[in-house]
Amino acid sequence: MPSPDPNPSTASAREDEQEPLLSRTPPPELDDHTQPTAVAWVRHKARQAAGPATTLLGVCLATACLAIGFYILYILYHLPAMLGALRGSEPRVEAVSLIDMTDDAVLFAADVEFPDWGHRAAQIPHLNSTIHHRGRMVGWLYASNLEITPQQKRLSLCEIFHIVDPEAMARLLSEAASSRRVTVDARARVSLSGFGRYLPTTSVHRELDIVLPPLPAINATIRDFVGPIADTLRGGVTAQATVKLELPALVSANVSPVLIDISYRSIVIAVAEVGPVAVYSSGVGDVPLKVNLKQIADSVHEAALADIIAKVSTGEVFELVASGAGPQSYSTAPRWLRWALYNSEFAIRSDLLKLTHDFALPVQDMVKDLVVDKLYAYWSAEDSYKPWAGISARATIDIPNYSAANATFEIESLVPNLRLMDDEDQLPFAIVDTPSIPVELKQMAPLQFVVSCNYDRLGLRVVPGRELQFTRAMRRALADRHVALGVNGSLDIAMATSIGKIHISALPVGAYFDWKFDASPAVETAANPSAEVSVSRIHVADTTRDLISLEIGVNVNNPFTYGAFISDLALMVKYSGLHIATIGVKELSLSQGANDVTLYVDFHNYPNDPRQRMLFLEASSGKNVTVEIAGFPNCTSIQPLETSLREFVHRTTINTDPSSGPRMVTGSLPQVLREVVFRIFAMSAEATIVNPVSGAEVWLQVIEAIGYYKHDIPLGMLEYDFTSDGPKGLRLPFDRAVSTPRMPIVANETSIGWDVLRRAIGGTLDVDVFTNIQMQVGNAPLNFTVMGRNAPVKVRL
């Protein structure tokens, strides 16, 4: 029997442990006096139940921790695949296509390449993304079943971007277009079950700072150009065309027509209707374009247009600003796009578009009916460095009107202010005088103009200190027939157009000319009149054995509209290397109509040189005579001209055949041989001669002649020595008819010659006479050979 426990509490606890969980007898009813005993009982029972519940909770917590641990391990197992996807997720957009746009959606397609994708596949069953800008939701995009494999690294998308807030969309696009940079909040919920079946859907929130690349150069070809046409509805002029675009990327688009305001210096100068745009997947597409150049509203508007014209003419790069027209002015495009364009500004550099065209104007056929009413040049020793010219001319310019243009364009005034530049140091050496009367351009019909000028005195003034450069340019032009100089300066232009009047002050101009004249230009003379030149007098001023100084009076009937004045000038004439003459003028004034000109000729005599005989023979027989015209020191008192002509040599061919057709110059010499009579019975001939040369005694000494009929039938020959009748020969007084003695003729023995002479008895026979003549002119013996063509010979018994 166990001994009683001395600790009462311990004994009580053991008794409680031996009691059953449920009492065999119901508890007594509790009244107010027994309530504390009931609470103690409940607490007792709760302590009894807490033990098994704690054990169950511990089992549950352990199971949950184990499950979480396994899920974490599951995530860690798929983490390399997700990290690999992130490392290889640098995309490259291969092609973009804008399919359609409405007020609340944009349908687009894109091919996105992941070139660095690894060897694992990735699948995204669901992707829901929203775009926020400046705290406002712009729109959302839902995509599904996105899959990338090592074999297929390209993702082809065709999605719809749903626009929630059109104003936010417009603000986003206008900010991106204006600043080329935009910040957006991209929020997305991505299902990761494609990496693992039991991976969750996660949320991604990222702020993106997007910097747009600069606009690339766009190649554009203009086709089907129409205009400019005077626009009776909107005012101004309108031109339209189809522009073929060649974008440097695989981009396609379909965009509804939009209206664009084009401004310069904050002045709207034109409105362009662009579209509908249809660019195909190759980046090539057609864009209809209609541009209305607005009517000039005020002086500020006019100044803006004048500045654009000036920059275009000089090739200077300038910028236009394009922005959308008022959103309420048209409704062809989505509302958010109209507002975005309206709030955006696009800088358009003049060198951004590389425009080409598929039509060419035949420039050589544009200038027609050129009429020069007056062209005069003046140069004297008193103004050695100030030559001037007067010109009055007009021409028709007819441009083929391929584009049905009808706009008005006239130049009411064009006044040049030009300088000539040396080609070596590019400094001005001469200044062109500003003309008092401007050039005008009148429009007669669409693209048909008449340009006219009337310069009474347009001078050229050398820049002080640049006389050497002036002379060098003149020498190059005259002696070397090479023009190499620059022209720069400005133009003052007043234009009248369909959009109003435009005045351009000091429009810069510049050009460089490098022309070489290798040969004399051909002159078309068939439809032009000829200058008639006749010798009115020949006066011998002095003679020596080797030199005959002549003053020759020439009547020049100048039918042309050009002339010249020069104080003095002399040039050498050479034939086959033989200096045969020096021809000069003093105070030469040649105008339209009748002119009396005095030529001062120093004829160099070579009586024993066959080249002198050959010169006279070629000239008298109608052959082409080639001579050299050359300058020499002190050939003129005009200093720069004298320096220029020192080295001047020009080879030219003169056609002396009067029957060869129309020429610029036709001439006649005094009739020396008045009459030739051939007497058959006496077999002799006598001639009547008139000497046109004054100032010296002229003696005919020896003559040898052969006559031909029809150029090749010999009729006879004669030889006669006039010195047998007198020591000096037959004297020929000035301007008096002298008959020669009867000169015996040796007739041709052929029957053909006699038959020709017999049939011509009592009439006139045209005979070609080949003649050698020896004369004495003053102190100079003169020997020459001539061929008289079709000389009329009277045949008598």
Side-chain angles (χ1 to χ4, degrees), residues 561-588:
T561 55
Y562 46 83
F565 172 86
I566 192 167
S567 57
D568 62 286
L569 177 63
L571 295 173
M572 292 191 301
V573 180
K574 296 182 179 181
Y575 173 79
S576 297
L578 191 67
H579 181 192
I580 59 174
T582 299
I583 303 176
V585 293
K586 296 178 181 179
E587 299 293 329
L588 171 64

Side-chain angles (χ1 to χ4, degrees), residues 539-543 691 693-698 732-734 776-779:
H539 178 74
V540 178
D542 191 17
T543 61
N691 173 24
V693 179
S694 65
E697 289 188 347
V698 178
L732 303 178
F734 169 65
Q776 183 77 24
V777 179
N779 299 318

Side-chain angles (χ1 to χ4, degrees), residues 11 28 105 146 185 217 244 250 308 362 386 393 416 424 445 448 459 482 583 587 641 645 659 683 700 734 767:
L146 306 179
D185 288 336
K244 180 181 179 181
L250 298 179
I308 290 176
K386 294 182 181 180
E424 293 185 1
Q448 187 180 75
H482 181 199
I583 303 176
E587 299 293 329
L641 183 59
L645 293 178
S659 62
M683 288 303 295
L700 180 60
F734 169 65
V767 179

Side-chain angles (χ1 to χ4, degrees), residues 152 329 359 466:
Q152 182 62 36
S329 61
F359 60 88
R466 303 285 292 172

Side-chain angles (χ1 to χ4, degrees), residues 398-417:
D398 194 356
I399 303 175
N401 195 356
Y402 297 132
S403 59
N406 68 356
T408 300
F409 177 83
E410 292 186 345
I411 295 180
E412 297 180 337
S413 170
L414 187 151
V415 180
N417 302 279

